[in-house]
Amino acid sequence: MAVLSWWSDLSATSVVCLASFPHPTAVGGMTATSEKTLKALKEVLRIPGNGTCADCLLPEPEWASYTLGIFICTNCSGIHRNIPDISKIKSLILDPWDDEQIQFMRQNGNEAARVKYEAHVPVYYYKPTYIDTRVQLEQWIRAKYERKDFLEAGKELPYSTGYREGFLWKRGRDNGLFLNRKFILTERDGILKYFAKNDAKEPKASIRVDNMNATFQPAKIGNPNGLQITYLKDNSTRNIFVYHEEGKEIVDWLNAFRSVQFYYLQVAFPGASDNELKLKLTRNFLKEGYMEKTGPKQTEGFKKRWFSLDHRRLMYFKDPLDAYAKGEVFIGSKDNGYSVSANVLLGPQRGGSWEFGITIVTPERNFLFICETEMGQQEWVVAFTRVMEQPMSPQEYTVAAYFKHRR
C-alpha cells in the first residue's frame, strides 16, 4: 500500500512531521479523505496553534472536533467522545470531510478556541498537559467545553471560595487501609485539616498550605483518582495518600489547594508577579523511581529504596507508600558546589545488584546511588542537572542551612 507523509512539507516552526498514514483510498469499506481534502486540511493545520493538541499540547494532532473547530490528539479525542452533545470528532485521515466542515475548522481553530474557552482561567488553576493523568485532562476538557467554567470573568467556582469541606478516602499510615475521612481547607488560616472521626472536635493533623504539595499518583496509589499530599512535619517530610470516587471532586480539591496557596503567596510576596507565584504552587515530582543507595561512608551495603525528587529535596523511602521519608538529600546549585556524574560500577558491590552508578557531589559529602538500567541512570542525571543549573532562592539557602545543621 502506498504511504503518504502528509505533514512532511509543513514548516518546522509550526508543527513537527507526523507519522506516515495509509494512502487515502477505501479504508474498512468507507471512503477515506481525498487528496484534495487532505491538502485543504493540511493548509488549516499550518495556522499557528493548530499543530498541537488544543487541550494537552501534544504535537501532531490526528483528530479534530468539527463542532468546536479544534484539532486534538488521540488521547483527548477519547475524552471528547464522552461529551457527544458538545463535541463530535473525526479522524483527519480516515473520515470523510466536506468543504463546509473544513471551512468551519479554518474559521475557528485552536487559538480561537483558547481565546474563547480559556478566557478567564484562574491564575492558580492547574492546566494539565499530555504528561498528566487522564482524570486531570478529562476535567480540564469538561470544564472548558461542557461546564464552560472560564467564559465569564468573576464566575464563582467550587474551588475558588477560600473554604472547602468534604470527605476523602485516606490511606492508613500503619495498616494501609483506606478509610473515609473528613477534610477542611480554610484560606483564612492557610490550613488543611483532617479528622480521624466525623464527630471529632480536634483534627488528627493540621497542614500548613505554604509547605504542602499535592500531585496525582494513580499508579502508586492504585486508584485513577489517587492524590499524594506531601508536607513538612517537624522539618521531616510526611506523605498522606487520598482519593475520591468522583474525578471532578478530586481535581477540585487540587485546585482548591492551589487557590489557597496562591492567596497565601500574594500576602507573603506582595511584589511578586502572578507568573512568579504560580511556580511556587503544587507541582509534579521531577522524577521518581527505585535506586540503590549506600551510607555516608560508602562502606555499607547498598539497599534498594524508592526515591522522589521534589525540586531540591531528594527523598527516599523503603516503600513508595511510606508515610515518612527515611532520609532526604538537599540538591543545591552548581554555583554552590553541587555536581552530578554518571559512572559504571563493575559488578555487584557490597550487596548492590545493579551497575549504573550516579555520584552527587555536595559541599559536605558525596552521595552514591545505583540504577538498574542505563536509561534510568541517564534520566536521573538529567533531572539532577536540571535542578543544579537553577540558581538558589533566599528561601532555599535557608533550607540548605537546615540540612547542613541536621547532619
Side-chain angles (χ1 to χ4, degrees):
M1 181 179 287
V3 174
L4 172 68
S5 292
W6 74 305
W7 288 63
S8 57
D9 60 344
L10 295 180
S11 68
T13 58
S14 59
V15 290
V16 183
C17 180
L18 191 63
S20 298
F21 284 91
H23 190 275
T25 57
V27 177
M30 298 178 60
T31 302
T33 310
S34 68
E35 293 277 8
K36 178 182 177 182
T37 303
L38 279 175
K39 182 178 180 180
L41 283 171
K42 192 162 59 174
E43 289 175 353
V44 179
L45 281 161
R46 287 195 182 98
I47 298 173
N50 291 346
T52 58
C53 175
D55 297 320
C56 75
L57 305 182
L58 183 70
E60 305 173 3
E62 303 171 19
W63 296 80
S65 169
Y66 62 92
T67 53
L68 293 172
I70 57 174
F71 295 93
I72 54 179
C73 70
T74 302
N75 188 32
C76 290
S77 73
I79 298 172
H80 279 259
R81 284 191 183 93
N82 294 328
I83 49 173
D85 294 341
I86 306 295
S87 180
K88 299 185 184 298
I89 65 168
K90 281 189 175 187
S91 166
L92 299 182
I93 296 297
L94 301 180
D95 290 325
W97 287 78
D98 58 39
D99 292 342
E100 184 177 349
Q101 290 170 340
I102 294 176
Q103 182 62 20
F104 182 78
M105 299 298 296
R106 180 179 290 110
Q107 292 173 346
N108 290 275
N110 292 2
E111 285 301 319
R114 290 190 184 105
V115 170
K116 177 180 179 180
Y117 293 104
E118 301 179 26
H120 301 287
V121 179
V123 174
Y124 57 80
Y125 187 96
Y126 186 85
K127 296 167 65 173
T129 68
Y130 57 88
I131 67 172
D132 290 299
T133 64
R134 183 176 178 85
V135 66
Q136 292 171 275
L137 285 170
E138 179 172 1
Q139 293 309 314
W140 169 233
I141 289 170
R142 288 184 180 274
K144 288 196 293 182
Y145 310 120
E146 185 179 50
R147 298 193 294 269
K148 297 180 173 60
D149 283 349
F150 314 123
L151 291 185
E152 304 172 11
K155 180 179 179 180
E156 185 173 286
L157 298 166
Y159 39 80
S160 64
T161 62
Y163 180 88
R164 188 172 185 85
E165 180 178 332
F167 289 86
L168 298 172
W169 291 94
K170 176 189 171 294
R171 186 179 188 272
R173 184 186 67 182
D174 299 320
N175 58 21
L177 299 177
F178 280 90
L179 300 173
N180 212 12
R181 294 291 184 247
K182 181 180 179 180
F183 283 76
I184 296 178
L185 175 70
T186 56
E187 181 178 270
R188 182 186 62 188
D189 302 323
I191 295 290
L192 172 69
K193 303 175 183 179
Y194 73 87
F195 299 80
K197 296 182 180 180
N198 296 346
D199 58 353
K201 295 182 179 180
E202 295 298 325
K204 177 70 173 179
S206 296
I207 304 167
R208 291 174 48 191
V209 298
D210 60 322
N211 64 29
M212 184 186 78
N213 188 29
T215 179
F216 276 90
Q217 297 280 6
K220 183 189 294 185
I221 297 174
N223 186 286
N225 301 334
L227 191 71
Q228 177 177 346
I229 298 173
T230 303
Y231 62 99
L232 294 181
K233 182 178 180 181
D234 300 326
N235 286 316
S236 295
T237 298
R238 168 78 160 96
N239 292 324
I240 61 174
F241 303 94
V242 300
Y243 73 87
H244 195 279
E245 299 91 338
E246 300 295 329
K248 180 181 183 302
E249 187 73 10
I250 198 68
V251 172
D252 284 352
W253 271 104
L254 174 69
N255 284 303
F257 296 153
R258 292 172 62 88
S259 172
V260 172
Q261 284 182 329
F262 188 72
Y263 172 80
Y264 168 83
L265 291 169
Q266 284 181 310
V267 174
F269 304 97
S273 67
D274 286 352
N275 286 332
E276 289 174 325
L277 297 182
K278 280 175 62 176
L279 298 176
K280 300 177 183 293
L281 301 179
T282 65
R283 60 210 171 268
N284 295 330
F285 293 136
L286 296 177
K287 174 73 177 166
E288 283 195 292
Y290 282 107
M291 291 192 291
E292 292 183 342
K293 69 172 292 294
T294 185
K297 297 181 180 179
Q298 299 184 9
T299 57
E300 301 89 340
F302 281 84
K303 296 180 180 179
K304 185 178 179 180
R305 295 289 183 257
W306 176 267
F307 286 82
S308 300
L309 179 59
D310 184 8
H311 192 47
R312 297 203 183 275
R313 284 180 179 265
L314 176 65
M315 303 166 285
Y316 57 91
F317 308 83
K318 188 175 182 179
D319 183 271
L321 293 173
D322 281 349
Y324 289 96
K326 292 188 69 67
E328 301 182 40
V329 180
F330 181 81
I331 308 296
S333 70
K334 61 182 181 180
D335 295 334
N336 294 93
Y338 291 80
S339 65
V340 60
S341 62
N343 41 70
V344 176
L345 305 181
L346 301 177
Q349 297 190 11
R350 297 185 297 279
S353 58
W354 300 334
E355 61 180 278
F356 299 99
I358 296 175
T359 300
I360 293 180
V361 178
T362 80
E364 285 75 39
R365 56 167 284 199
N366 295 349
F367 294 87
L368 179 61
F369 310 105
I370 311 177
C371 300
E372 183 175 14
T373 66
E374 185 176 10
M375 178 179 293
Q377 176 197 54
Q378 293 172 352
E379 289 174 352
W380 277 109
V381 169
V382 168
F384 290 136
T385 301
R386 187 180 301 134
V387 173
M388 292 177 182
E389 287 179 345
Q390 300 176 28
M392 288 169 54
S393 67
Q395 294 81 7
E396 289 169 344
Y397 277 102
T398 302
V399 176
Y402 163 74
F403 271 83
K404 184 176 180 180
H405 174 74
R406 189 169 64 174
R407 294 194 192 101

